[in-house]
Amino acid sequence: MFIDVVVFAGIATVLLMISFFVGVGIFVVKDQERHEEKVKGKTDRGHVGLS
């Protein structure tokens, strides 16, 4: 296979896209965990008779 600058650019583009989507996924998971903790903290206090 002939290795050219275009091949390197294509591989770099694919790797950058994969790393971007992995980063977005990690951000979403962490944000969801923080949001669940915040909601859990609000629902645990002041609600008598609710489980």
Side-chain angles (χ1 to χ4, degrees), residues 36-51:
E36 287 174 354
E37 290 174 1
K38 192 175 184 182
V39 170
K40 183 180 179 183
K42 286 183 178 179
T43 58
D44 282 347
R45 61 179 181 178
H47 292 275
V48 178
L50 296 177
S51 57

Side-chain angles (χ1 to χ4, degrees), residues 18-34:
I18 290 172
S19 63
F20 173 76
F21 285 115
V22 167
V24 169
I26 291 171
F27 172 77
V28 168
V29 169
K30 286 186 177 184
D31 189 55
Q32 184 178 4
E33 289 173 355
R34 277 187 262 148

